[in-house]
Amino acid sequence: MGLMMVRGKEVSNSSDNEYEEVEIGDVKGEYGEDDAGVMHLDWTDDQIHYRLTYYGEQSEKEITKEELIETAESFE
């Protein structure tokens, strides 16, 4: 199960989880995963801030970080 948020202002990563910088096409983003296995992918494109969240425990399908990035790239 996934969730996509689009915001006018940047989404803050207020958790204690570490985020790593990733490439989403030609845009830089941040990827992180919390202790519950929830994956977050945040990026900004043309002053619009996006957060793609995947709840692995609530889904029958497992995805990888690379698949989450590919999904984000498909929005361009």
Side-chain angles (χ1 to χ4, degrees), residues 2-48:
L3 171 68
M4 175 73 171
M5 289 178 30
V6 179
R7 300 179 52 117
K9 63 179 188 173
E10 193 166 353
V11 178
S12 67
N13 296 322
S14 59
S15 70
D16 293 335
N17 301 316
E18 289 189 29
Y19 282 76
E20 65 178 280
E21 189 172 286
V22 294
E23 297 279 334
I24 304 167
D26 59 353
V27 176
K28 300 239 186 263
E30 291 185 329
Y31 168 82
E33 186 173 338
D34 67 20
D35 294 337
V38 178
M39 302 163 71
H40 301 281
L41 184 61
D42 301 323
W43 72 99
T44 300
D45 189 12
D46 198 24
Q47 297 183 343
I48 299 174

